[in-house]
Each structure stands twice: as structure tokens, then as C-alpha cells.
Amino acid sequence: MFNQIHNHGERGRYYFFSYLYKMKLLYAFILCILAQVVTFIQLQGQSLWKFPKENPYIMALLGVPISLLFMKYTRILNGHFEANWPGRIIGFGVGIIIFTVMSWLMFKEVPTTKTLICLGLAFSIVLIQMFWK
């Protein structure tokens, strides 16, 4: 990366900052996905396992790291888009996608046609927010 800046002047600088820009966006998506997965386990785990059902206050403590994950990804996306709405709508779309996948994997709930259409809409929402200028 740094050789690219040194050898190619301004063009190299553009590529380097473009790379950092994309990596920051990827980092925000990873945080968002992680927050949604942990939230799913926190809320739905009581239906799957004995520990969450018997220890609701310990499970409630997961709210602190979950909140920190949501706050960090929100800060990154708000800075990226220079607005609040795109990050919130992306979070909603990612949440729908994660909930569908986790329900399918953990509860063996096969998505219905209605759920698959909603999942397609969630993907569309995320893509529109990401790529529509």
C-alpha cells in the first residue's frame, strides 16, 4: 500500500484512501451482523437452551456489549453516509436477514414464500442504501 502512494503520487493516494474507506464500511457491516446475531441469541436463546431461560438477568447483561456494537456501527455508517437514515435502514435490513437465517438454522423454521419475499425486500433495501447516490 505505502509503496503505491510513494511510487504513484496522487493516484496512489486515491487508491489507498479508497481501500481504507471500503475497509471501514466492511468493519461496520461486521459489527452490525455481530450485534444482530448476539441480539438473536439473547432474545431467542430462552426457547432453545436451559441457561438463558433460568438466568434472565445474566442474559440481560448482554445488552451492554450489544449496545456498544450497535453504537459503533451506527457511528461509522452515519459518518460514511453523512446522514442518520441510511445507517438505520441498513441496520433494519441486516436485522431481517440475520433473523431469517438464524431462525432457519437454529429453529429449523423453513422460510415461507412470504418470508422469502420479505428477505428479498430486505436485501433490496440494503443495496439501495449502499449504492444509490
Side-chain angles (χ1 to χ4, degrees):
M1 282 293 157
F2 293 102
N3 288 339
Q4 197 175 39
I5 292 171
H6 180 69
N7 295 335
H8 299 290
E10 194 63 37
R11 187 179 66 157
R13 215 171 281 120
Y14 168 77
Y15 289 128
F16 178 71
F17 289 115
S18 175
Y19 172 78
L20 289 179
Y21 183 75
K22 290 175 187 171
M23 291 307 294
K24 199 168 188 180
L25 199 56
L26 177 64
Y27 178 58
F29 268 95
I30 291 169
L31 291 175
C32 182
I33 290 167
L34 183 61
Q36 295 289 352
V37 167
V38 178
T39 299
F40 182 91
I41 291 169
Q42 179 196 34
L43 299 176
Q44 305 300 329
Q46 60 189 332
S47 300
L48 290 170
W49 304 295
K50 188 177 179 180
F51 181 82
K53 189 174 189 175
E54 293 176 352
N55 300 287
Y57 296 109
I58 292 174
M59 294 305 290
L61 291 176
L62 281 174
V64 174
I66 290 170
S67 295
L68 293 172
L69 288 169
F70 279 123
M71 289 166 53
K72 180 70 174 175
Y73 103 81
T74 299
R75 186 178 320 121
I76 292 169
L77 289 182
N78 286 356
H80 174 80
F81 292 108
E82 297 178 355
N84 293 326
W85 276 109
R88 176 64 188 109
I89 294 171
I90 288 170
F92 165 77
V94 170
I96 296 298
I97 294 164
I98 294 298
F99 189 88
T100 303
V101 171
M102 296 288 290
S103 292
W104 185 19
L105 294 175
M106 300 187 82
F107 289 104
K108 308 299 183 225
E109 290 183 12
V110 179
T112 63
T113 303
K114 179 174 69 172
T115 302
L116 290 173
I117 290 171
C118 291
L119 189 60
L121 291 171
F123 272 114
S124 299
I125 288 168
V126 171
L127 292 174
I128 287 168
Q129 288 300 316
M130 291 297 301
F131 299 111
W132 190 335
K133 298 291 176 187

